[in-house]
Amino acid sequence: MQRWWKEAVVYQIYPQSFMDSDGDGIGDLPGVLERLDHLVDLGVDVVWLSPVYQSPNDDNGYDVSDYRRIMDRFGTMADFDRLLSAMHDRGLKLLMDLVVNHTSDEHKWFEESRSSKQSPRRDWYIWRPPRDGGPPNNWSSFFGGSAWEFDPATGEYYLHLFSRKQPDLNWEKPEVRRAVYDMMTFWLEKGIDGFRMDVITMISKDPGLPDAEVTSDGPWQFGGEHFIHGPRLNEFLSEMNREVLSKYDVMTVGEAVMATTEHAIELTNPESGPLNMLFQFEHMDLERDRSGGGGGGKWHLHDWHLEDFKEVMRRWQEDLGENGWNSLYLSNHDQPRAVSRFGDDGVHRVESAKMLATFLHTLQGTPYVYQGEEIGMTNVRFDSIEDYRDIETLNMFREFVDERGMDPAEVMAIIHARSRDNARTPMQWTAGPGAGFTTGTPWIGINPNHVDINVEAQRNDPESVLAYYRRLIRLRRKNPILVYGRYRALLPEHEEIWSYTRDYADERLLVILNFGDGTPVFTLPDEVRFDRAELLIANLPVEADEPPHHVRLRPYEARVYRLHRSD
Ligand code: TEU
């Protein structure tokens, strides 16, 4: 089924780090407005704006204290309205971030809820009395420590899956759902074009709130089995769809930590799925310990393996096929930079960024480009923990150094590879001071490599990463096979080469990607027959008439062919 949101390319803006218009060192909405031409030039269709609502910024806006107000540091509602209409004038659509698993503890709903056990809003959040003088169960927070915070005013604990300033809403309560739907309607009536839904698969908790299975040392355990894809999730989202989304022609993408393809089919199938697509995490979790030693998790440094990556993506491509829809992403504001993680941010930075871009735009699904990815921005290596801003990173450093006694240098090495702040340093517009992002002091340090890696240097350079993204996005627009074509893996066992075909009606494409710095030979499997191969795009110079039967690939080489048959 053809849909505009399948054909779109989405660009994610993390407003705090995109463009500062007033010199306070913090990105803002007028700044986004100033830079819309960059997005038009790139050719994207949709912008996903990370949260811009009023917030005390414990978690950079993912802790909302007023859903109907713009964060002061980002501007005003008038700035927002201006931005939305300027985007629409340029043919860009806008996705807002919907953060409704939790609010800020400074939201008035929570202030009322915590004020007394008799408050009419008491059970808008999840309160429990102490158990044996401690938290009601053993769940850990995603940001470290217990998921429960004691509130002396009423002598009970409230649940917060993220920071203690992000109390979880109680979705069991119909009034909570109504309030969320009203708020969504408020934004949709302004004319926005959809929502990216933050941790939306965590809104339905197992009502008994049972203890999590003990799987790691320490008192607090990951309780996902009791709140991810909980018992009423589909019911809540179907209600949201009926009450709100179905009344508008909008797109939705649900963030779905630990989702399986079965979950995704349930939530995104074209007949009854309440959402259009999910952000799945399997390919963000490839750096796990393959020795079976249980050393998995975000803060353990392991290499990823191409066979695992291929297998995950093959499953998502094949299983969703006709039964749902994929979102495609290699980075966002929570992840290290794609080129540093899956490519090479040293000598092969340009080729590997282009190779990864080729991959992103030639799978079935809707691609999401994260700000800075289109110029090949890299991870950052700040020397001191003082230079980091992310609550998750800061909590982790404290826990690892102070409580577990780890060597700070070792912890810094982990942070360099894994911290969310890798993605949050300011957008690199120019080589000048403040990287063209700000005339003031930026809220977080700017990557010193902005003198080489920046938009200005790449804008008119046909060999740049930016120019290549532009070409890929145009190629996708002209070729529906890139959007809709069926994925078929070739050479599934190959340890360096990732290759696949895409089929749509009687057309076929062949994609060949070298995921490493070696020079392996690509040999086309016999079953792939063609009479003429037309090169559509490549990240390195290729003899146009060289048929792709046996090709010695160069480091991080990428090629896309259209295969023609005369019969
Ligand atoms: O992140 C969801 C989430 O589960 C995070 O734990 C994510 O996996 C983590 O950041 C990786 O280290 C969303 C938002 O994208 C994130 O920025 C917020 O902090 C979080 O929800 C809470 O709203």
Side-chain angles (χ1 to χ4, degrees), residues 23 138 181 224 277 296 302 482 534:
N138 68 353
Y181 303 156
M277 61 192 111
H302 295 287
L482 282 169
E534 174 197 357

Side-chain angles (χ1 to χ4, degrees), residues 400-470:
F400 281 34
V401 174
D402 298 350
E403 292 168 29
R404 301 195 199 170
M406 273 174 74
D407 173 4
E410 200 184 321
V411 180
M412 287 309 288
I414 300 177
I415 288 174
H416 290 158
R418 310 290 295 150
S419 170
R420 305 197 294 185
D421 280 340
N422 282 309
R424 299 178 179 186
T425 61
M427 181 68 187
Q428 296 167 195
W429 297 104
T430 70
F437 161 74
T438 186
T439 54
T441 307
W443 70 278
I444 186 170
I446 293 172
N447 195 319
N449 67 18
H450 74 276
V451 296
D452 299 315
I453 304 171
N454 62 72
V455 173
E456 196 173 56
Q458 296 191 23
R459 192 179 291 124
N460 298 317
D461 173 3
E463 302 302 320
S464 66
V465 177
L466 179 58
Y468 192 81
Y469 265 85
R470 228 186 257 141

Side-chain angles (χ1 to χ4, degrees), residues 504-549:
Y504 189 56
D506 54 1
E507 269 187 274
R508 172 169 281 184
L509 299 184
L510 169 68
V511 180
I512 307 170
L513 307 167
N514 180 5
F515 259 74
D517 58 6
T519 55
V521 174
F522 170 81
T523 303
L524 188 72
D526 286 344
E527 74 265 20
V528 184
R529 303 234 166 84
F530 63 90
D531 297 305
R532 188 167 64 85
E534 174 197 357
L535 187 71
L536 295 184
I537 193 165
N539 66 348
L540 290 165
V542 174
E543 300 269 343
D545 54 1
E546 176 193 359
H549 289 293

Side-chain angles (χ1 to χ4, degrees), residues 110-392:
F110 188 74
E111 286 173 349
E112 286 176 37
S113 177
R114 86 182 333 170
S115 66
S116 99
K117 286 189 192 168
Q118 283 70 46
S119 161
R121 290 230 164 87
R122 181 64 169 180
D123 54 2
W124 279 40
Y125 294 83
I126 301 171
W127 293 95
R128 290 290 184 279
R131 182 178 70 178
D132 307 328
N137 71 21
N138 68 353
W139 295 359
S140 58
S141 146
F142 278 85
F143 294 158
S146 165
W148 295 91
E149 180 72 8
F150 184 70
D151 195 38
T154 53
E156 290 191 329
Y157 283 85
Y158 64 86
L159 179 70
H160 60 89
L161 294 179
F162 294 89
S163 98
R164 64 168 63 91
K165 287 184 67 61
Q166 292 168 300
D168 282 54
L169 281 164
N170 178 13
W171 275 71
E172 299 290 323
K173 190 84 183 150
E175 291 84 346
V176 168
R177 308 204 296 273
R178 177 50 36 215
V180 169
Y181 303 156
D182 286 349
M183 177 273 284
M184 292 170 72
T185 303
F186 167 84
W187 288 100
L188 289 165
E189 285 298 313
K190 277 185 173 285
I192 67 158
D193 304 286
F195 292 107
R196 174 270 185 185
M197 302 185 182
D198 192 60
V199 289
I200 199 68
T201 54
M202 301 190 195
I203 58 178
S204 166
K205 279 84 177 168
D206 182 337
L209 307 178
D211 273 333
E213 196 186 324
V214 176
T215 52
S216 64
D217 299 342
W220 313 120
Q221 304 293 324
F222 178 63
E225 54 191 324
H226 303 301
F227 58 77
I228 296 180
H229 251 272
R232 298 183 68 189
L233 175 65
N234 200 346
E235 177 195 335
F236 293 158
L237 292 178
S238 299
E239 180 185 75
M240 177 195 281
N241 186 295
R242 202 168 52 243
E243 299 286 317
V244 187
L245 300 169
S246 62
K247 299 177 180 160
Y248 302 86
D249 178 22
V250 292
M251 74 176 266
T252 53
V253 50
E255 192 197 22
V257 175
M258 297 183 78
T260 62
T261 57
E262 289 76 31
H263 294 136
I265 292 168
E266 184 190 347
L267 293 177
T268 72
N269 75 78
E271 288 78 42
S272 61
L275 301 177
N276 297 145
M277 61 192 111
L278 302 182
F279 287 130
Q280 60 93 6
F281 278 71
E282 281 195 66
H283 66 307
M284 291 289 122
D285 189 29
L286 294 170
E287 294 103 338
R288 57 182 191 276
D289 182 0
R290 303 209 319 169
S291 69
K298 161 159 188 164
W299 301 119
H300 295 263
L301 293 183
H302 295 287
D303 292 336
W304 57 275
H305 295 267
L306 192 63
E307 308 95 279
D308 297 341
F309 198 170
K310 284 186 187 178
E311 174 50 21
V312 163
M313 297 311 274
R314 182 199 60 74
R315 191 152 28 76
W316 281 85
Q317 290 286 300
E318 286 180 3
D319 290 2
L320 266 56
E322 305 285 297
N323 308 316
W325 191 248
N326 273 292
S327 66
L328 307 167
Y329 73 100
L330 289 171
S331 58
N332 62 37
H333 65 292
D334 291 335
Q335 300 293 337
R337 289 282 175 180
V339 71
S340 300
R341 184 180 195 178
F342 298 115
D344 170 5
D345 62 10
V347 285
H348 298 301
R349 187 185 64 85
V350 171
E351 303 89 85
S352 67
K354 292 178 182 175
M355 185 279 289
L356 292 168
T358 314
F359 173 66
L360 188 74
H361 291 87
T362 57
L363 291 175
Q364 190 188 58
T366 301
Y368 289 73
V369 177
Y370 179 64
Q371 68 183 41
E373 184 187 315
E374 77 279 25
I375 54 169
M377 277 178 63
T378 69
N379 282 353
V380 72
R381 303 169 71 85
F382 293 130
D383 293 333
S384 156
I385 189 66
E386 308 293 315
D387 295 324
Y388 286 84
R389 299 285 174 268
D390 170 29
I391 180 170
E392 184 191 45

